Amino acid sequence: MTDSRPVLTMTGISKSFPGVRALHNVDFRLYPGEVHALMGENGAGKSTLIKVLTGVYGIDEGTITLGDEQVAFSGPMQASAAGVSTVYQEVNLCPNLSVAENIFIGREPRRLGAVRWGEVRRQARQLLTRLDLDIDVTAPVASYSLAVQQMVAIARAIDVQARVLILDEPTSSLDAGEVAQLFRVMRQLRDEGIAILFVTHFLDQVYGIADRITVLRNGTLVGEYPTAELPQLALVEKMIGKELDVLERIEEQPRRELAAVEGGTPFVAVSELGRKGAVAPFTLNIHAGEVVGLAGLLGSGRTEAARLFFGADRADRGEVAVNGTPTSLRSPIQAIEQGIGFCSENRRAEGIIPDLTVRENMILAMQAARGWLRPIPRRRQDELVEQYIKALSIRPANPDLPVRNLSGGNQQKVLLARWLITEPRLLILDEPTRGIDIGAKAEIQKLVVQLSDGGMAVLFISAELEEVLRLSHKVVVMRDREMVAQLDNDDTVDADRVMQTIASGSQREEANQ
Amino acid sequence: MTTSSLTTGPSWARLPRRHVPVLVTLALLLVMYSIGVSQYRAFSNVQVIFNIFIDYGFLLVVAVGMTFVILTGGIDLSVGSVVAMTAMVSAWLLQSGLPALLVLVIALLIGPALGFLMGCAIHFFDIQPFIVTLAGMFFARGMCTFISSSSIPITDGFWTTMAQHRIGDPRGNFVSIGVLITLAVVLVAAYVLAYTRLGRNVYAIGGNPQSALLMGLPVARTRIAVYTISGLCSAIGGILLSFYTLSGAPLIAVGMELDVIAAVVIGGTVLTGGSGYVFGTVLGVLVLGVIQALITFDGSLNSWWTKIVIGGLLFAFILFQRLIGIRYK
Amino acid sequence: GNSDTGAGGGGGDDKIVLGFSQVGAESGWRTANTNSIKEAAAEAGIDLKFDDAQQKQENQIKAIRNYIQQKVDVIAFSPVVESGWDTVLKEAKDAGIPVILTDRAVDSADKSLYKTFLGSDFVKEGRLSGEWLVENSKDATGDVNIVELQGTTGSAPANDRKKGFGEAIAADPKLKVIASQSGDFTRAGGKQVMEQFLKAHPKIDVLFAHNDDMGLGALEAITAAGKVPGKDITIITIDAVKDGMQALADGKFNFIAECSPLLGPQLMDLAKKVHAGEEVPPRIETEETTFTQEQAKTALPNRKY
Amino acid sequence: MSERLKPILSHRLFWPLAVLAVMVVANTIYRPGFLAVEVNNGHLYGTPIDILRLSAPLILVGLGMTLVIATGGIDLSVGSICAISGAIACLHISEASDQNSLVTVFTALAMALGAALVLGAWNGVLVSVIGIQPIIATLILMVAGRGLAQLVTEGQIITINSGPYRAIGLGHFLTLPLAIFIALGAALLVAALTRRTALGMIIESVGGNREASRLAGIRSSRMVFLVYVVSAACAAVAGFMMTANVSSADGNNAGLWVELDAILAVVIGGTSLAGGRFYLSGTIVGALIIQTLTTTVYAMNISPQTALLFKAVVVIAVCLIQAPAFRAKFGRRGRGTPPPAAPAQPRQKEEVTA
Ligand SMILES: Nc1ncnc2c1ncn2[C@@H]1O[C@H](COP(=O)(O)OP(=O)(O)OP(=O)(O)O)[C@@H](O)[C@H]1O
Ligand SMILES: Nc1ncnc2c1ncn2[C@@H]1O[C@H](COP(=O)(O)OP(=O)(O)OP(=O)(O)O)[C@@H](O)[C@H]1O
Ligand SMILES: [Mg+2]
Ligand SMILES: [Mg+2]
């Protein structure tokens, strides 16, 4: 399967940022016709290794050989010209341009120097069909959900005539169906002899597609292994440097019975809440201490429903009662005052404030709720920030670093901390584990369970159905922007059952109570 | 498994949505024009519109260049001074006896050269465009007074012809050659933005420069190119101005950059970059022209009321533009 | 005839319509000029269409074009700069509308483009100031150090006043301009520049300011430096606006060359004449004088602006 | 470079201050008396004092502008607001029977400040409620405001003769010009308001990512509204100083182009026009640099014809020397420790997703 000579060799790569040594003497090889997984915890240096390769960052030490030549790209433009095609970790598209244009910009089909728009659209449609995505390619990319954007970015990358294809966490917001589709395309490309570098935090995906695995830890190379020779547990051990037991613990965590949490007035009760063009009216109760999972396919309207709960978008019909008293949630502030928190799936556009420090990002929501006149005393800030840096193992553990300098996964944890600090009574988590490593993911799941035991209600959205099923007391199934079912999460409910519900759709299942 | 398609309607019904701001602007412009016609009889003369094109030709050319810059999310404050400097240099060189063609070439090179340098400083040294082009503005204006502190008349035959040749019926309605040059510039710019890679890269950078870089687009080249283009447009604008006034004056076009930016923004281009059209800029310039024409035709305002009314009309226009634009979105 | 006057011409058909394009309202002087013209027009029964160009030549050209469209009877304007008027003036000529220049001249080679020029001579103002200084420093022994506050760099009054003054003081080699800087015709500018002059040059005998406002600003700087204006430093300015005249009468200034803004009545006169097709002289200078401290005391009570 | 120097060299204010020092040194070489300060009538008198006094209005306008820019906006109307407030105050005083009465002066100040607040609120509404782009929203007032100022003064220069009002621009306190204390007081007030409370962080957060801030529960619109009001208030006080400095209100010229100088000061001070982090101390140093530059032109007797060229050169030099990218390229002559390579990324601009 693999050639004898690597298409890409990186040797002795070191890279430091002010105050952080992101990579230290790392070697990496990539063979044509293989899928090679790059693994490591959040902040291990995976993205940095990729960016060093494509010239986004300069290298401090080390050499890169592509084919037979030693290369030092001055930037992504040169890299892609040399046949290295990359999807970077954060979705990097131009929000103002159309889907078709985002796919083809920089290499549009032209005649006499003029872009052939018709051709661009036609080819874009074709390409997306290959990924099984049927959307309007003339609409601006920003009008689509993050998952669709991720697919578009992938489409852009796989169309390039490349020798090396790099995918940095392409699947973080995709659901099983999309992932399967993506893997089909990846295998096809691999068989054509393309070398694929693949980063993910999903172990089953690694074992599903990767031929070999390279593990990084703390910016240093742990080793390179054929997938077949590295069992899951060993891989995890190599990534985190110690044995992991939380993973098992979470599996056997006893979830309280639904009956135990339901009853009494629900904390939030919405009836026929809806917004034209976004979500069809739906009715849902969430009780204190209850975890409600939202399941559905990409673009099924989970995010939009969640936003109505938080007042991020205004509902144009329906009623809301908090603790039995009717209220209206017309803006995030009102929702926060009612004790609701919302952690957005789109951390770059709607989450982090890149210039502010980790500390400031963490206390922002709490501060906003207190009002500007009552700053949180520095000592209290320190306590809170330190507590959550430790609890969520945010690295580097320096609260005064601008959050933009953190790795993607760590930024996500900062956002989570922002809401946990406010101690909300209902926390809406939209893809909270997106881009988070397995250790931290387990921690977060544990946290959700703990919080709900402590009486906090959680609305949990994840592209990973297993995760939803593991945590929720109740699973709400959405399809085509409509709530189609509410399932009590008892022994009868499993992934297949949910998928069936999604597929059969309209048939409304008996909502509990 | 196919993800469901959620398009909100047939594509023809959605298409104009992008153009809503421009269409609204056009409609409001027509409303304003008809107010003028209903109030002042001579306002309906075709020549009034032609005059706007004659009088605002150079502004429009410069605004086209500025559109490129603003689309990338930058700004160019040097344009007014570069216009003045170009006119000044032409007048000065002609005065010293250089042949017209050579003067034209030299004058057309200075603007882009300065723009290129500013673009390099902005891109390679990562200095904010505002400050770099402000320095460019000081520099170009300084060059004007350095060349001569009083205005220099142009008597060259070529220039005079360009200035005074009237296309159309000499007694009736006419436009100047400058207007044709202006229209040519507008068309070329519109084509470049819509149909060439350079144009598309401009939009991409305006949308998100970091993404554009990671998508492998030539960010450096494009950034520098837009400032060079703006410099070139200012140079053309300067030449047009020197046709228009047949002289180079050190203090001409002071504060023009603000008019230009206003025209571009009124035309629907967003200052943070990434969205806007050259056609919108044309409308923006026309809006300024019609406002000015309304004021002159009225002829009863005193100096300060003139300013207040200009501000008021501008406000009314933008307010309606905004309110109607939102409703149709 | 004006039977075809465009709409907005207002008034009866027999009224002359005068389109006037003013430079702007950049100073008190200019406002006095505008007021004079408006008042005179009302008095003379002339229908005035007024436009403020906000110090932009382009705006003036636009205004003139619009006046041509409106078919006014006479066009008058105070050019922002000297050059660049040929094209539009030709259009006016072709449309058969006579043009009168006020306040500032144009450098057009073709004198047939306008009927007449009415205004002051900036060079002369500078020269008168210089001549007075030459006369009054006859007895001085040793060098007389002059500092000059120029108007806005590149503007016609600044250039011309500097020129006239320079020519006049060349007559006496004792008179030396040791520093010359632009104060932008404003009080704040004059003050700020003068502060630095005072620190850089321990011995300043004369201040020549291109307008009263800069002189008034400089006064403050001189006082703050502990010197007595009008005594320790001789102050010469141009314009003779009210505040300036007051300073002169108070003995703080020493000499002002007048630059009168009251062109209105003369302009209306001319407008009627050119409209009737009468011949007018190609250049009419406004009646202007100069003031010394004594003259100022007598003139001050009946100054209009 | 020695390890001890590093923190100093990497301090944000190091390069702006260095530029300021270079200008002062150059001036002193040109004219040794440049730094001389003497006592005159019981006040300190000398060029450095002038610079401080004259930069006071610019510092004030710059303070407000810093906050506006921190939210990602811009305020072009400050110059006009200076003119209007100065005009209103002077008009009221000039009409009073006793111009020296404190009551008159305070009423005048209150009226003018009130008017400025209204204008600031107008700007704020246009930007935050109606959603007009800041540059164009404030351009409206920039144009119309000049007209309003002239409407107040009827196009004339209103000269007043009021001791208390004069004191705002020219008075002394502890031998130093009062204007310096006013500017300093305003700076301290703004600094306290923003840094002692959470206001500063909230403003930075709104400027850094408005949508994210909204979702974190910040009333973004209200903050945006507020900064324009503060900016107008600062401009109003600056307008008092400018008019008091020459004891007259000139509707046309007071505060002309001060918006450009203020923006320049803010940018030299290290605040990005894209919004986000802001540095009040940087703005103050920026304002001092600009005023020193102007004074240098006068003090060195640079001819008016070339003064702008000189300014251009200095401004570009200031920017270059401050730009980390420039220093990284040309500063690493010495073989020693190479400075960490700055990421070759343009300044990050947040993705604005609809
Ligand atoms: N631009 C930067 N400036 C400073 N430090 C940075 C920068 N980019 C990354 N780092 C640091 O380098 C380290 C490696 O980050 P990197 O993004 O490569 O991690 P990663 O392995 O991709 O993690 P994740 O799984 O969370 O994406 C982190 O400690 C991060 O804080
Ligand atoms: N497959 C698709 N086809 C067309 N539009 C889509 C699709 N997926 C998402 N969208 C668009 O994305 C927007 C947001 O959908 P939303 O975020 O509510 O979905 P979601 O269930 O949260 O899915 P995701 O997993 O993508 O976050 C919708 O406005 C819709 O127009
Ligand atoms: Mg990463
Ligand atoms: Mg979602």
Side-chain angles (χ1 to χ4, degrees):
Chain A
M1 183 170 59
T2 49
D3 243 341
S4 51
R5 281 190 25 211
V7 58
L8 174 76
T9 319
M10 303 173 79
T11 33
I13 304 287
S14 294
K15 172 73 193 169
S16 298
F17 294 109
V20 189
R21 167 161 273 181
L23 293 173
H24 181 57
N25 198 15
V26 173
D27 297 333
F28 180 76
R29 293 178 304 166
L30 190 60
Y31 288 90
E34 72 161 348
V35 175
H36 192 138
L38 184 59
M39 303 292 292
E41 288 179 293
N42 293 136
K46 303 178 295 292
S47 300
T48 306
L49 188 71
I50 290 167
K51 288 186 172 172
V52 159
L53 165 62
T54 60
V56 176
Y57 299 141
I59 329 179
D60 296 347
E61 275 165 52
T63 55
I64 303 174
T65 317
L66 185 68
D68 300 322
E69 285 167 59
Q70 189 166 334
V71 291
F73 298 126
S74 66
M77 189 172 61
Q78 256 192 18
S80 64
V84 179
S85 177
T86 315
V87 175
Y88 294 90
Q89 179 170 12
E90 302 297 327
V91 172
N92 279 290
L93 295 172
C94 294
N96 55 328
L97 301 184
S98 69
V99 170
E101 194 166 5
N102 264 295
I103 295 176
F104 281 104
I105 190 160
R107 52 199 170 79
E108 303 93 338
R110 292 184 296 178
R111 184 186 293 128
L112 299 174
V115 176
R116 297 165 62 196
W117 283 113
E119 189 63 19
V120 168
R121 284 192 290 271
R122 200 184 57 76
Q123 290 189 15
R125 249 176 246 126
Q126 220 170 35
L127 202 57
L128 288 177
T129 320
R130 190 167 169 196
L131 288 170
D132 225 350
L133 192 65
D134 176 24
I135 55 173
D136 175 11
V137 295
T138 59
V141 122
S143 66
Y144 289 108
S145 72
L146 206 63
V148 174
Q149 296 185 16
Q150 209 161 42
M151 295 293 274
V152 172
I154 293 169
R156 176 181 169 81
I158 59 174
D159 182 53
V160 177
Q161 299 304 315
R163 285 192 280 176
V164 175
L165 176 63
I166 300 173
L167 303 169
D168 192 354
E169 299 197 33
T171 54
S172 57
S173 29
L174 300 187
D175 60 33
E178 275 70 42
V179 172
Q181 196 60 37
L182 173 64
F183 281 4
R184 216 158 23 241
V185 176
M186 280 168 67
R187 286 198 190 95
Q188 203 179 331
L189 293 173
R190 176 186 65 190
D191 296 343
E192 288 166 15
I194 293 177
I196 300 177
L197 169 55
F198 178 64
V199 179
T200 186
H201 289 294
F202 296 102
L203 293 188
D204 40 346
Q205 291 181 4
V206 172
Y207 285 93
I209 191 150
D211 303 308
R212 277 172 334 129
I213 300 173
T214 292
V215 180
L216 293 182
R217 188 168 67 226
N218 269 334
T220 54
L221 178 71
V222 176
E224 187 200 273
Y225 317 90
T227 312
E229 295 165 21
L230 190 67
Q232 282 217 17
L233 269 180
L235 170 59
V236 172
E237 216 180 294
K238 297 218 182 306
M239 278 162 60
I240 65 175
K242 56 176 189 244
E243 278 180 40
L244 185 76
D245 47 355
V246 249
L247 267 189
E248 283 87 74
R249 265 197 279 133
I250 188 86
E251 297 289 2
E252 63 216 31
Q253 184 97 21
R255 203 177 45 231
R256 280 168 308 149
E257 285 305 306
L258 187 60
V261 292
E262 300 240 309
T265 24
F267 174 62
V268 177
V270 303
S271 67
E272 293 300 302
L273 193 71
R275 182 180 157 92
K276 243 176 81 192
V279 225
F282 63 92
T283 301
L284 180 64
N285 293 336
I286 305 179
H287 292 80
E290 184 180 29
V291 180
V292 177
L294 274 186
L297 299 183
L298 191 155
S300 54
R302 292 164 298 182
T303 299
E304 313 238 338
R307 287 173 68 91
L308 293 188
F309 266 92
F310 187 61
D313 294 325
R314 278 189 199 176
D316 52 15
R317 56 172 300 174
E319 271 122 50
V320 183
V322 176
N323 268 335
T325 20
T327 40
S328 67
L329 299 175
R330 294 154 55 79
S331 68
I333 312 139
Q334 281 178 341
I336 292 171
E337 278 162 3
Q338 304 279 6
I340 302 175
F342 171 67
C343 191
S344 164
E345 66 176 342
N346 194 344
R347 71 167 163 255
R348 201 164 122 184
E350 298 173 355
I352 60 163
I353 318 282
D355 278 342
L356 298 193
T357 60
V358 170
R359 174 206 312 277
E360 288 167 321
N361 267 286
M362 279 191 183
I363 61 160
L364 194 62
M366 184 184 192
Q367 183 63 65
R370 287 167 65 110
W372 61 271
L373 264 175
R374 293 171 52 224
I376 304 168
R378 184 58 182 239
R379 211 144 39 86
R380 178 105 183 85
Q381 290 185 20
D382 285 339
E383 274 167 32
L384 285 169
V385 170
E386 196 182 329
Q387 176 190 344
Y388 281 97
I389 285 184
K390 204 175 282 163
L392 300 173
S393 58
I394 293 171
R395 260 163 294 168
N398 175 1
D400 293 313
L401 222 53
V403 80
R404 70 157 87 230
N405 287 352
L406 261 56
S407 78
N410 282 306
Q411 290 179 1
Q412 184 68 34
K413 295 182 199 165
V414 169
L415 283 188
L416 207 59
R418 174 190 294 174
W419 289 108
L420 294 178
I421 284 177
T422 64
E423 297 178 351
R425 305 189 50 199
L426 165 63
L427 183 56
I428 304 167
L429 297 173
D430 194 356
E431 314 267 7
T433 51
R434 180 170 174 249
I436 283 191
D437 66 41
I438 42 166
K441 186 184 272 180
E443 292 288 347
I444 287 172
Q445 294 176 355
K446 203 170 75 185
L447 203 69
V448 168
V449 173
Q450 268 173 13
L451 292 171
S452 80
D453 285 350
M456 188 191 290
V458 177
L459 184 61
F460 192 88
I461 306 175
S462 171
E464 228 186 319
L465 199 48
E466 289 70 30
E467 197 178 40
V468 176
L469 288 172
R470 195 179 306 147
L471 295 174
S472 329
H473 298 107
K474 187 161 79 186
V475 179
V476 173
V477 181
M478 304 217 30
R479 174 194 151 110
D480 285 353
R481 299 153 174 250
E482 209 179 325
M483 187 174 292
V484 290
Q486 294 189 19
L487 309 173
D488 288 354
N489 191 7
D490 48 32
D491 297 339
T492 62
V493 176
D494 58 10
D496 287 341
R497 167 105 186 276
V498 175
M499 288 315 294
Q500 253 169 29
T501 318
I502 292 174
S504 55
S506 50
Q507 143 228 340
R508 271 198 170 223
E509 300 229 357
E510 178 67 20
N512 44 345
Q513 82 184 129
Chain B
M1 177 181 48
T2 308
T3 49
S4 44
S5 163
L6 289 171
T7 38
T8 41
S11 67
W12 59 264
R14 273 244 315 259
L15 197 73
R17 198 203 267 189
R18 262 184 299 170
H19 302 300
V20 163
V22 175
L23 292 177
V24 168
T25 311
L26 181 63
L28 283 173
L29 180 66
L30 291 177
V31 168
M32 204 154 71
Y33 178 74
S34 30
I35 291 176
V37 172
S38 70
Q39 294 294 308
Y40 315 105
R41 213 187 325 148
F43 210 89
S44 58
N45 292 358
V46 184
Q47 189 61 34
V48 171
I49 299 178
F50 284 177
N51 278 346
I52 291 181
F53 275 101
I54 296 176
D55 294 329
Y56 284 86
F58 66 97
L59 190 87
L60 179 50
V61 170
V62 177
V64 165
M66 183 72 86
T67 309
F68 277 81
V69 175
I70 293 185
L71 278 177
T72 63
I75 200 150
D76 186 353
L77 294 181
S78 71
V79 290
S81 305
V82 173
V83 163
M85 179 174 71
T86 310
M88 202 72 195
V89 168
S90 324
W92 178 55
L93 291 179
L94 287 170
Q95 195 186 35
S96 58
L98 256 60
L101 200 67
L102 185 62
V103 172
L104 209 57
V105 171
I106 296 176
L108 282 179
L109 280 179
I110 298 176
L114 184 62
F116 177 80
L117 289 180
M118 291 191 300
C120 288
I122 290 165
H123 184 80
F124 291 116
F125 302 137
D126 200 8
I127 314 177
Q128 302 193 39
F130 185 93
I131 203 168
V132 173
T133 55
L134 189 69
M137 167 181 165
F138 287 156
F139 174 80
R141 186 65 66 186
M143 281 310 287
C144 290
T145 44
F146 184 70
I147 290 171
S148 162
S149 64
S150 57
S151 63
I152 308 173
I154 297 176
T155 49
D156 177 80
F158 174 70
W159 249 259
T160 329
T161 322
M162 294 301 274
Q164 296 176 353
H165 187 77
R166 299 177 191 175
I167 299 166
D169 171 13
R171 214 151 297 119
N173 303 318
F174 65 92
V175 293
S176 64
I177 297 178
V179 174
L180 300 187
I181 300 177
T182 307
L183 291 182
V185 171
V186 167
L187 291 180
V188 169
Y191 176 83
V192 167
L193 278 181
Y195 284 102
T196 65
R197 280 199 185 156
L198 173 69
R200 302 322 295 172
N201 290 341
V202 166
Y203 281 94
I205 291 175
N208 188 334
Q210 217 189 353
S211 292
L213 186 83
L214 292 183
M215 284 165 92
L217 301 179
V219 175
R221 214 190 300 152
T222 312
R223 271 256 185 85
I224 295 168
V226 294
Y227 289 94
T228 314
I229 289 173
S230 174
L232 177 66
C233 285
S234 305
I236 299 175
I239 296 287
L240 289 179
L241 183 70
S242 68
F243 290 162
Y244 182 68
T245 64
L246 279 183
S247 67
L251 289 186
I252 202 153
V254 168
M256 180 185 173
E257 51 283 341
L258 285 180
D259 286 345
V260 170
I261 294 170
V264 174
V265 174
I266 291 171
T269 303
V270 184
L271 264 182
T272 43
S275 113
Y277 301 93
V278 170
F279 184 60
T281 300
V282 175
L283 293 179
V285 171
L286 289 181
V287 168
L288 295 186
V290 172
I291 289 182
Q292 187 68 40
L294 281 175
I295 301 238
T296 352
F297 269 81
D298 181 77
S300 64
L301 297 173
N302 70 18
S303 303
W304 33 98
W305 277 110
T306 302
K307 290 179 189 160
I308 298 173
V309 170
I310 291 181
L313 286 177
L314 207 57
F315 167 68
F317 189 90
I318 293 164
L319 184 71
F320 281 120
Q321 191 184 30
R322 175 90 197 133
L323 295 183
I324 299 175
I326 288 176
R327 262 192 57 200
Y328 276 81
K329 249 180 201 167
Chain C
N2 59 341
S3 51
D4 200 23
T5 310
D13 267 4
D14 51 331
K15 267 191 165 181
I16 297 177
V17 180
L18 169 69
F20 180 74
S21 170
Q22 178 62 288
V23 172
E26 75 278 13
S27 62
W29 188 95
R30 187 65 63 190
T31 308
N33 179 245
T34 305
N35 289 343
S36 158
I37 287 167
K38 288 195 160 170
E39 282 162 21
E43 228 158 79
I46 286 180
D47 186 4
L48 178 72
K49 300 199 124 275
F50 175 83
D51 180 74
D52 178 299
Q54 301 176 41
Q55 286 124 284
K56 287 186 189 155
Q57 181 180 22
E58 310 92 274
N59 285 354
Q60 284 197 309
I61 297 180
K62 287 166 208 163
I64 295 172
R65 288 223 160 92
N66 282 327
Y67 290 147
I68 297 174
Q69 284 311 305
Q70 291 173 299
K71 301 199 173 64
V72 299
D73 298 311
V74 182
I75 292 174
F77 71 107
S78 304
V80 178
V81 290
E82 294 165 1
S83 19
W85 302 98
D86 287 20
T87 313
V88 67
L89 290 185
K90 255 195 192 112
E91 285 168 28
K93 193 180 167 192
D94 291 348
I97 302 173
V99 173
I100 303 171
L101 307 179
T102 66
D103 179 37
R104 298 181 186 179
V106 302
D107 64 1
S108 193
D110 182 356
K111 300 288 182 215
S112 75
L113 292 178
Y114 54 90
K115 291 288 180 225
T116 179
F117 162 81
L118 165 69
S120 23
D121 183 343
F122 298 138
V123 181
K124 186 170 148 203
E125 291 159 5
R127 195 164 52 233
L128 289 174
S129 314
E131 279 163 5
W132 180 87
L133 181 61
V134 171
E135 185 60 31
N136 279 268
S137 45
K138 271 200 307 245
D139 312 328
T141 51
D143 283 350
V144 176
N145 290 341
I146 307 170
V147 294
E148 183 182 26
L149 284 172
Q150 298 182 31
T152 307
T153 313
S155 66
N159 293 339
D160 291 353
R161 286 171 185 169
K162 183 179 171 63
K163 184 166 160 237
F165 185 76
E167 282 167 7
I169 61 168
D172 186 345
K174 284 198 307 271
L175 303 180
K176 296 215 166 65
V177 177
I178 53 169
S180 177
Q181 187 57 258
S182 166
D184 276 324
F185 281 134
T186 63
R187 290 193 191 183
K191 179 175 181 186
Q192 202 181 339
V193 175
M194 194 64 196
E195 281 173 354
Q196 286 314 306
F197 281 172
L198 285 163
K199 276 155 202 141
H201 307 284
K203 180 175 174 294
I204 296 175
D205 302 305
V206 178
L207 163 67
F208 171 52
H210 286 186
N211 75 348
D212 287 342
D213 284 334
M214 289 191 292
L216 289 165
L219 270 189
E220 306 229 4
I222 294 171
T223 323
K227 303 206 171 178
V228 184
K231 304 242 159 29
D232 298 342
I233 297 179
T234 304
I235 302 180
I236 304 170
T237 70
I238 295 177
D239 268 3
V241 297
K242 205 170 207 155
D243 286 342
M245 288 295 277
Q246 185 67 53
L248 186 61
D250 294 349
K252 292 175 179 162
F253 284 2
N254 300 74
F255 183 80
I256 300 184
E258 188 188 27
C259 178
S260 170
L262 305 181
L263 303 177
Q266 273 174 298
L267 175 61
M268 297 311 142
D269 229 35
L270 280 172
K272 281 180 182 161
K273 280 186 185 156
V274 297
H275 182 56
E278 287 175 39
E279 271 308 307
V280 290
R283 186 178 175 90
I284 302 165
E285 281 187 18
T286 38
E287 294 141 23
E288 286 169 348
T289 80
T290 58
F291 295 97
T292 59
Q293 292 175 342
E294 285 68 41
Q295 289 164 325
K297 277 177 198 141
T298 37
L300 192 58
N302 35 19
R303 291 295 283 182
K304 284 178 79 178
Y305 57 95
Chain D
M1 66 188 97
S2 101
E3 282 303 312
R4 199 113 49 79
L5 274 179
K6 243 186 184 160
I8 302 179
L9 280 176
S10 61
H11 191 270
R12 235 178 345 91
L13 284 182
F14 175 78
W15 290 105
L17 282 173
V19 169
L20 193 58
V22 167
M23 276 200 283
V24 170
V25 168
N27 267 301
T28 318
I29 293 172
Y30 182 83
R31 169 156 67 83
F34 185 82
L35 280 177
V37 173
E38 56 192 77
V39 178
N40 189 340
N41 289 339
H43 312 142
L44 292 182
Y45 175 85
T47 308
I49 308 292
D50 285 342
I51 293 179
L52 284 176
R53 178 171 51 83
L54 289 170
S55 52
L58 188 54
I59 289 176
L60 275 170
V61 177
L63 289 175
M65 188 69 82
T66 309
L67 299 185
V68 171
I69 287 180
T71 63
I74 202 154
D75 189 352
L76 294 182
S77 68
V78 284
S80 292
I81 294 178
C82 287
I84 294 173
S85 62
I88 293 179
C90 287
L91 183 72
H92 183 79
I93 293 174
S94 74
E95 282 170 349
S97 51
D98 177 14
Q99 298 201 358
N100 283 319
S101 129
L102 272 179
V103 179
T104 310
V105 172
F106 278 113
T107 333
L109 293 183
M111 280 167 54
L113 195 62
L117 292 179
V118 170
L119 295 175
W122 160 270
N123 279 336
V125 167
L126 291 197
V127 175
S128 71
V129 180
I130 306 183
I132 300 176
Q133 298 188 49
I135 201 168
I136 205 87
T138 55
L139 182 78
I140 293 171
L141 194 54
M142 177 186 182
V143 175
R146 284 273 156 219
L148 286 175
Q150 285 181 303
L151 185 69
V152 173
T153 63
E154 296 190 316
Q156 301 293 352
I157 297 179
I158 300 178
T159 306
I160 54 167
N161 200 348
S162 161
Y165 190 74
R166 232 177 110 80
I168 299 173
L170 294 173
H172 286 80
F173 178 69
L174 298 176
T175 78
L176 283 170
L178 191 58
I180 299 175
F181 291 101
I182 296 178
L184 211 64
L188 289 178
L189 184 70
V190 174
L193 264 180
T194 53
R195 297 303 184 200
R196 292 275 129 184
T197 70
L199 196 60
M201 186 188 80
I202 288 177
I203 288 175
E204 288 175 338
S205 151
V206 170
N209 189 341
R210 194 163 163 180
E211 178 60 11
S213 305
R214 187 180 80 95
L215 290 180
I218 291 170
R219 295 172 212 265
S220 301
S221 298
R222 190 182 289 184
M223 282 301 137
V224 171
F225 173 83
L226 195 73
V227 292
Y228 286 91
V229 176
V230 172
S231 171
C234 289
V237 180
F240 300 150
M241 277 183 194
M242 291 172 185
T243 46
N245 190 23
V246 286
S247 283
S248 60
D250 180 345
N252 192 64
N253 291 310
L256 200 60
W257 301 124
V258 74
E259 54 278 347
L260 281 190
D261 278 346
I263 298 170
L264 190 58
V266 173
V267 174
I268 289 178
T271 304
S272 158
L273 277 172
R277 285 270 183 234
F278 67 89
Y279 307 102
L280 292 171
S281 53
T283 300
I284 294 175
V285 176
L288 287 173
I289 288 179
I290 293 171
Q291 187 53 48
T292 310
L293 180 57
T294 313
T295 305
T296 304
V297 168
Y298 301 148
M300 287 198 176
N301 212 2
I302 292 167
S303 85
Q305 277 76 20
T306 46
L308 275 174
L309 288 180
F310 174 77
K311 265 192 160 176
V313 171
V314 175
V315 167
I316 206 71
V318 172
C319 303
L320 282 181
I321 199 159
Q322 274 206 73
F326 179 80
R327 289 207 306 275
K329 278 197 179 97
F330 296 93
R332 68 169 95 170
R333 287 282 141 76
R335 267 290 136 81
T337 45
Q345 273 171 290
R347 262 196 92 76
Q348 181 161 338
K349 182 180 132 191
E350 256 325 289
E351 184 175 355
V352 205
T353 328

